[in-house]
Each structure stands twice: as C-alpha cells, then as structure tokens.
C-alpha cells in the first residue's frame, strides 16, 4: 500500500513540475511538439531512476558513513552529469533522429533541478532503496505526463488564432497555470 501511495502522490498530487515547480526549463522548452516531449520524458525516466539509485547508494555508503553529508549537492550533481553524458552517447548511437530532435535540450537534463530535487527528496524523506526507486519512477512519470499533456495543448494552440499579445510565452505560461490548477484537484487524495 505504501508504494501505491508514493506513486499516486508523486504522479498526481505532488507533481514535480506543476506543484513543486522543479524542472520548469525543459517543461517549457521541449513542450512544443509531442515527439520531443515523449523523447524527453523517456530520457528523464531513465536518468532520474538511475540517478536516484546511484545517489542513494553514495549517500548511504559514503556520505553518511564517513560523515561528509555536506558534500551531498556537489556529489549528486556530478553523478547526474555523468549519467546524462551516458544517455547522450546511447541516444546518439541508437536513435540519431531523437538525438537531433532533442538538440540542445538533452544537456538541459544535466541542469534539470527535478532530477537533483528527487535525489535530495529521497534522502530527506528517509526512504529505503525500493521506496526511492518507486518515488523516482513515479516522479518521472508525473513529469512526463505533465510534459506530454502540455505539449499536446501547445500543439493545439498553434493551430488556432491567439490574440497577438498572447502569442508565444504568455499563452504557454497561462496554459501551464491552468494545467497546474487542474492537477490541484487531486490534492485531497494523498498528503
């Protein structure tokens, strides 16, 4: 039951983008087309899950064991950067089209505060390894869900006439705000 609550909470109630406001840069930057949103979502699921596993192990076996937890942030950033490089190399070999489509946004995963935020939240919530993995996967699914929904809405908005002053970033931010309000409807389900 704990894992189901973690999943529902991370995907819907405490969505990393729409209620905690982490990962806004790739959320706004990659959301113009559903194809790139799907690719970014897959990359975030992979990197967030692997990064959480590695950072959890490093936190418990090195940082806490040697009483050097003050190095947590810099250590986590280095681990995440290395994993993003790995994803970039894999995407370049396996799917050059997706690699080209993501373009400059793939390196944004390195500085995606959602990935670092999840790694730190896992430690703060004192999850065990399995709970950490469930939380990371759930959070990345929530990120992907919000990103794909938002990109679908933005694709539809590009086909209609929007007032001149609302074109571009203003309508995107207004839409993101409305999407966040829609996700707030889940707030009574889980704390």
């Amino acid at each position: 039951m704990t894992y189901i609550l973690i999943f529902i909470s991370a995907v819907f109630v405490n969505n990393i983008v729409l209620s905690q406001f982490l990962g806004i840069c790739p959320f706004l930057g990659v959301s113009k087309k559903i194809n790139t949103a799907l690719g970014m979502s897959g990359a975030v699921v992979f990197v967030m899950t692997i990064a959480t596993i590695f950072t959890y192990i490093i936190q418990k076996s090195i940082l806490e064991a040697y009483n050097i937890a003050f190095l947590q942030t810099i250590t986590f950033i280095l681990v995440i950067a290395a994993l993003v490089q790995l994803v970039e190399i894999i995407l370049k070999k396996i799917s050059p089209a997706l690699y080209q489509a993501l373009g400059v946004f793939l390196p944004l995963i390195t500085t995606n505060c959602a990935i670092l935020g999840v790694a730190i939240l896992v430690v703060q919530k004192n999850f065990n390894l399995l709970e950490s993995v469930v939380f990371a996967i759930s959070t990345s699914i929530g990120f992907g869900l919000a990103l794909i929904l938002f990109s679908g809405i933005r694709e539809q908005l590009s086909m209609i006439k929007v007032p001149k002053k609302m074109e571009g970033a203003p309508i995107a931010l207004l839409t993101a705000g409305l999407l966040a309000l829609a996700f707030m409807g889940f707030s009574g389900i889980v704390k």
Side-chain angles (χ1 to χ4, degrees):
M1 187 67 172
T2 303
Y3 302 114
I4 294 169
L5 290 175
I6 290 172
F7 179 82
I8 292 170
S9 176
V11 173
F12 299 110
V13 179
N14 296 316
N15 188 286
I16 197 84
V17 177
L18 299 174
S19 79
Q20 297 181 18
F21 307 113
L22 296 173
I24 296 291
C25 187
F27 179 72
L28 292 173
V30 185
S31 61
K32 291 181 182 173
K33 294 183 181 177
I34 290 180
N35 290 339
T36 54
L38 284 169
M40 178 61 91
S41 298
V44 167
V45 168
F46 177 75
V47 171
M48 191 175 287
T49 305
I50 300 299
T52 301
I53 292 169
F54 278 95
T55 54
Y56 179 87
I57 292 169
I58 290 169
Q59 176 73 24
K60 296 298 180 189
S61 64
I62 298 172
L63 299 179
E64 288 179 7
Y66 293 104
N67 201 22
I68 53 172
F70 61 90
L71 294 174
Q72 178 188 57
T73 304
I74 191 71
T75 304
F76 287 6
I77 289 171
L78 292 173
V79 168
I80 292 166
L83 288 171
V84 168
Q85 289 301 312
L86 177 68
V87 169
E88 196 168 352
I89 291 167
I90 291 170
L91 274 181
K92 201 175 206 180
K93 298 276 186 198
I94 293 174
S95 179
L98 181 58
Y99 176 76
Q100 288 294 330
L102 289 174
V104 73
F105 297 111
L106 190 58
L108 281 178
I109 295 177
T110 305
T111 58
N112 187 348
C113 56
I115 308 262
L116 179 61
V118 167
I120 292 172
L121 282 171
V122 161
V123 174
Q124 287 177 350
K125 291 177 184 261
N126 204 20
F127 285 151
N128 62 35
L129 184 58
L130 187 57
E131 289 172 337
S132 301
V133 171
V134 170
F135 182 72
I137 291 171
S138 304
T139 302
S140 59
I141 288 171
F143 177 85
L145 176 66
L147 183 62
I148 292 165
L149 285 172
F150 188 56
S151 65
I153 294 169
R154 284 188 76 180
E155 278 190 6
Q156 291 297 316
L157 283 173
S158 69
M159 292 188 265
I160 63 171
K161 187 171 177 146
V162 177
K164 193 78 169 161
K165 300 275 183 185
M166 291 295 291
E167 289 178 355
I171 194 72
L173 292 172
L174 182 65
T175 305
L178 291 172
L179 190 59
L181 280 173
F183 270 71
M184 283 180 65
F186 296 113
S187 65
I189 297 174
V190 180
K191 289 186 178 192

